[in-house]
Amino acid sequence: MHDAIYIPHLLKAAERTRSLLFETTFDNLATLTPVRAEVSVRHGTTFLDVRGTAKTIVTLVCDRCLQQYNHRVAINAQEIIWLEDAASTSQDLPLEQEITPDDLVESLSPSGYFEPETWIYEQICLSLPQRQICNEQCSGLSVDEPADRGPEIDERWSALEALKQQLLADDSSHN
């Protein structure tokens, strides 16, 4: 894991910016190749302007046929992360509370840390396809059923089937 960036140190950096180039792997993400990433973090007084690119090949499982397949990922992301003193106390908030749409933004403490690898991991996860299909022609799971078998009946329903046959027999004898 690469070091997190201490946000106050960005104020002293050239152009208030720090750029990182790194390769890494993530425990929670099966990749065929290491993630090659470049991240630039600029301190904008009340916010961080984060930009990054990353490339890797991830191993996914097809939703149709359940086979593994490789998917090439290339991200080019940008995000504004607000710097707020209240961000450092967010762990003390109640489990349930009303929030406004303005609260649905990323924020960090101005005296805290920014973790570039975590940010890249999140961006890669956001770029993964929702429907994971190995290819357009994937027909799904193939189920081989013998042609000579009739419909399969669960033996637990045999008493109900016998009653049904008896009722049908009784009904036809009354006609």
Side-chain angles (χ1 to χ4, degrees):
M1 222 16 146
H2 288 86
D3 293 333
I5 297 172
Y6 185 53
I7 296 171
H9 285 175
L10 285 172
L11 293 169
K12 298 172 186 159
E15 298 181 20
R16 296 178 148 189
T17 302
R18 177 147 180 228
S19 296
L20 301 164
L21 186 62
F22 57 90
E23 282 190 11
T24 189
T25 58
F26 300 108
D27 293 338
N28 297 333
L29 186 66
T31 59
L32 193 60
T33 62
V35 176
R36 291 181 181 91
E38 185 173 351
V39 176
S40 173
V41 183
R42 183 179 67 82
H43 198 300
T45 310
T46 59
F47 63 91
L48 296 180
D49 180 6
V50 183
R51 298 167 190 258
T53 60
K55 291 181 182 179
T56 191
I57 299 173
V58 295
T59 304
L60 302 175
V61 176
C62 180
D63 292 338
R64 289 183 185 160
C65 67
L66 303 178
Q67 297 295 314
Q68 288 188 342
Y69 70 100
N70 295 325
H71 176 76
R72 197 173 296 274
V73 175
I75 62 162
N76 186 358
Q78 177 182 358
E79 183 177 12
I80 299 294
I81 300 175
W82 296 103
L83 299 174
E84 297 179 13
D85 286 322
S88 61
T89 60
S90 62
Q91 290 85 354
D92 301 332
L93 296 175
L95 293 176
E96 293 185 28
Q97 71 177 38
E98 292 285 327
I99 58 171
T100 66
D102 293 335
D103 293 330
L104 299 175
V105 295
E106 188 75 27
S107 61
L108 292 172
S109 168
S111 60
Y113 291 87
F114 173 75
E115 297 179 13
E117 284 191 26
T118 301
W119 186 79
I120 285 291
Y121 172 77
E122 292 168 350
Q123 299 306 312
I124 290 172
C125 289
L126 288 170
S127 73
L128 295 178
Q130 289 294 314
R131 293 187 67 222
Q132 297 179 2
I133 308 297
C134 60
N135 66 57
E136 292 297 320
Q137 291 76 35
C138 180
S139 59
L141 292 173
S142 62
V143 179
D144 297 328
E145 289 191 34
D148 59 343
R149 283 183 30 192
E152 191 172 313
I153 298 175
D154 187 333
E155 291 301 318
R156 294 173 291 184
W157 292 95
S158 60
L160 186 60
E161 183 63 29
L163 178 62
K164 177 181 169 186
Q165 295 304 323
Q166 181 183 356
L167 290 174
L168 287 174
D170 289 346
D171 190 43
S172 64
S173 67
H174 289 296
N175 287 335

